[in-house]
Amino acid sequence: MHDALAGRSLTHTDFRVPQLATTDLTGREVSEVVSHGKHMLTRVRGDLTVHTHFEMDGSWHLYRPGTRWTGGPAWQVRIVLANDDWQAVGYRMPVVELLPTAEEHRIIGHIGPDLLGEWDHDEALRRLRSKPAREIGPALLDQRNLAGIGNLYKAETLFLSGVTPWTRVGDIDDLDAVVRRARKLMQANKNHWQQTTTGSLRPGADHWVFERSGRPCRRCGTRVASAVQPEPGRERYERISYWCAQCQAGPGP
Ligand SMILES: [Zn+2]
């Protein structure tokens, strides 16, 4: 996104959300595009930032003018930012808003170190360890601790680390290694569309436990377990956890 848009003027913009329906940034130059976790900030000269958030299903696609858009049906397009050479199309974005660049801290100020951005390993560990009684599954998903881990990388990191998602943060011997593993998995996948944690890009062979509920563990053959893992006060963020009770030590639901 940064390579395609930064340093160039927008020649066409289309905000397909009601509150920005009349917004037009044509003629303005994009200064940079940065990400913080699932937040994407497209900074436009004149103290303006286009903020989008991916949530579960959103995505940005880049197309050359004249090529077909393939990111989904047209009604799922929320925003288009284009220059002479590129069209950036945002699909299924639950958040599309415009704000002064100087006020970005309102959105990202609380977010922890970004596994794919400016990374501060010790700070991420400090934030995680500040709540030792918390279960590691939800703690890894909490963007206030560290930004970027979704449910897939949570499940796979914990499988490879040999601890269940219900293990308390304070009970994990080598939390440092857990965080390093999460970052390594994400870094390994950042330049391609598929997300593999096993090293295989073959569909069905690309994950250890994520979305493999009831199927045999690739290491020991035990059926992969799954359960919703809620957390008091954060029900909105509740996700399904997947794990192998044989390969991963610690409590279950
Ligand atoms: Zn197993």
Side-chain angles (χ1 to χ4, degrees):
M1 285 282 286
H2 180 83
D3 288 348
L5 299 181
R8 315 181 58 175
S9 293
L10 294 165
T11 54
H12 170 71
T13 68
D14 188 358
F15 292 83
R16 301 186 187 175
V17 291
Q19 64 275 22
L20 295 176
T22 60
T23 301
D24 185 357
L25 299 181
T26 301
R28 289 186 186 250
E29 185 185 322
V30 173
S31 55
E32 58 184 335
V33 184
V34 298
S35 67
H36 290 262
K38 292 184 175 181
H39 298 268
M40 191 84 118
L41 304 173
T42 303
R43 295 174 182 149
V44 178
R45 295 215 187 280
D47 191 39
L48 272 181
T49 293
V50 179
H51 168 226
T52 54
H53 189 274
F54 296 115
E55 196 80 44
M56 302 286 280
D57 198 31
S59 61
W60 275 106
H61 291 239
L62 285 169
Y63 300 107
R64 293 291 189 181
T67 59
R68 207 164 69 83
W69 294 358
T70 55
W75 59 268
Q76 292 182 347
V77 173
R78 296 285 177 275
I79 176 171
V80 181
L81 301 174
N83 56 33
D84 286 334
D85 293 321
W86 289 105
Q87 297 171 320
V89 183
Y91 286 92
R92 298 172 297 275
M93 226 69 86
V95 175
V96 177
E97 63 174 347
L98 209 54
L99 74 159
T101 302
E103 291 180 22
E104 284 178 1
H105 62 89
R106 282 200 286 116
I107 293 158
I108 55 167
H110 64 287
I111 295 177
D114 190 326
L115 289 133
L116 295 178
E118 287 177 19
W119 177 239
D120 183 338
H121 187 76
D122 292 338
E123 174 62 13
L125 282 179
R126 189 191 66 75
R127 290 182 181 220
L128 282 168
R129 285 181 177 135
S130 70
K131 290 187 180 154
R134 198 173 182 193
E135 293 165 0
I136 186 67
L140 285 181
L141 291 178
D142 191 334
Q143 309 290 298
R144 295 172 298 184
N145 288 330
L146 68 185
I149 298 185
N151 207 28
L152 185 158
Y153 291 104
K154 176 200 80 179
E156 300 292 278
T157 295
L158 293 178
F159 174 81
L160 291 167
S161 301
V163 295
T164 69
W166 278 266
T167 308
R168 291 179 192 278
V169 171
D171 292 339
I172 295 175
D173 291 335
D174 200 349
L175 187 64
D176 182 83
V178 173
V179 173
R180 282 183 198 285
R181 189 168 282 116
R183 182 152 186 265
K184 194 174 160 194
L185 289 177
M186 293 182 63
Q187 289 283 349
N189 282 295
K190 71 177 179 183
N191 289 326
H192 48 245
W193 180 84
Q194 303 99 323
Q195 302 182 92
T196 176
T197 52
T198 59
S200 171
L201 288 171
R202 196 161 54 80
D206 45 359
H207 305 144
W208 293 100
V209 291
F210 179 71
E211 293 188 339
R212 296 195 65 246
S213 186
R215 302 180 55 199
C217 170
R218 296 187 195 287
R219 277 202 181 139
C220 74
T222 303
R223 286 191 189 284
V224 172
S226 70
V228 171
Q229 186 170 15
E231 196 177 37
R234 285 176 62 80
E235 288 78 8
R236 178 173 168 251
Y237 299 96
E238 111 183 354
R239 298 284 184 267
I240 297 174
S241 280
Y242 303 86
W243 76 105
C244 171
Q246 185 68 31
C247 293
Q248 293 170 256

